[in-house]
Amino acid sequence: AEQRRQSSERMRLYNPMRHRETVEKMRRSKTGQTFLSRGGNGKTTEPQRRLAQAMGLQMEFPIGIPGEIRRRFVSPPKCYKVDLADPLTRVAVEVDGLSHRTKLWRFLDRRKEEILAVLGWSVLRFSNQEVMANLAQVAAEARSFITLRSQTTTTTSLAASSSQIATA
């Protein structure tokens, strides 16, 4: 018990957060961030740039999360940025580094996908390694999905329009 008390006292004495300049430096570095905020920090990666160029997709595409959707989730951001996007078909392509294998990032990625799905977006994920090793195959797979999605979206929209006309 005495050793524990001494350890606690030592931690209080030597805690760098006791210094105003340390606290201010930390505050500046964390401004605008939340624990669960995600992605789109404006730093594109080489695999992301290569895939965007191969596919002609927009990079760092922002997707706003309306309040009624945000209220369904715990501490969601007001906006997600996806690595690449085809806004017409609502397909997002994420190019993930090794950090996405950690438990925290897997959780955050799943949550991001859930929120985007509520907004009608589909998310494709590829690793940096996949993109760098086989760019043509990754691009073909993503294009195929986007094409399928555009046909499904068009067919669904046409079917909805036809049923509205039929009931009129």
Side-chain angles (χ1 to χ4, degrees):
E2 178 61 23
Q3 186 177 8
R4 184 182 219 172
R5 189 193 64 72
Q6 288 174 352
S7 293
S8 264
E9 184 61 28
R10 189 173 57 249
M11 288 171 60
R12 271 193 296 279
L13 286 174
Y14 296 108
N15 183 345
M17 296 306 282
R18 293 184 65 215
H19 306 290
R20 186 180 352 206
E21 61 275 4
T22 305
V23 171
E24 196 51 44
K25 181 179 177 182
M26 179 66 74
R27 182 175 291 124
R28 281 192 310 271
S29 75
K30 297 298 181 184
T31 298
Q33 295 182 10
T34 65
F35 169 70
L36 296 175
S37 68
R38 289 282 284 113
N41 61 9
K43 297 176 185 174
T44 59
T45 63
E46 183 62 24
Q48 182 182 346
R49 287 189 292 274
R50 286 186 183 191
L51 188 56
Q53 185 175 20
M55 297 190 64
L57 296 176
Q58 297 180 45
M59 290 196 325
E60 295 292 306
F61 185 81
I63 302 171
I65 315 299
E68 65 270 10
I69 303 299
R70 283 200 332 267
R71 284 188 282 279
R72 297 185 198 177
F73 297 89
V74 176
S75 187
K78 292 181 180 178
C79 177
Y80 276 123
K81 281 191 181 176
V82 294
D83 293 339
L84 308 172
D86 181 359
L88 293 176
T89 58
R90 292 187 177 216
V91 173
V93 179
E94 296 283 75
V95 182
D96 296 336
L98 293 175
S99 63
H100 288 266
R101 294 181 182 175
T102 66
K103 186 176 182 179
L104 172 63
W105 282 94
R106 284 193 316 262
F107 164 76
L108 294 172
D109 288 340
R110 272 193 312 273
R111 192 176 81 126
K112 181 178 185 177
E113 289 174 20
E114 288 173 21
I115 292 172
L116 292 177
V118 170
L119 295 171
W121 284 79
S122 293
V123 179
L124 300 176
R125 289 193 175 278
F126 299 98
S127 70
N128 285 337
Q129 294 80 6
E130 285 179 286
V131 173
M132 296 304 283
N134 209 337
L135 178 62
Q137 182 179 340
V138 168
E141 187 176 328
R143 272 192 209 99
S144 174
F145 185 86
I146 290 170
T147 300
L148 180 63
R149 176 77 185 232
S150 74
Q151 292 168 351
T152 305
T153 304
T154 303
T155 305
T156 304
S157 298
L158 290 175
S161 297
S162 297
S163 66
Q164 289 173 350
I165 293 168
T167 58

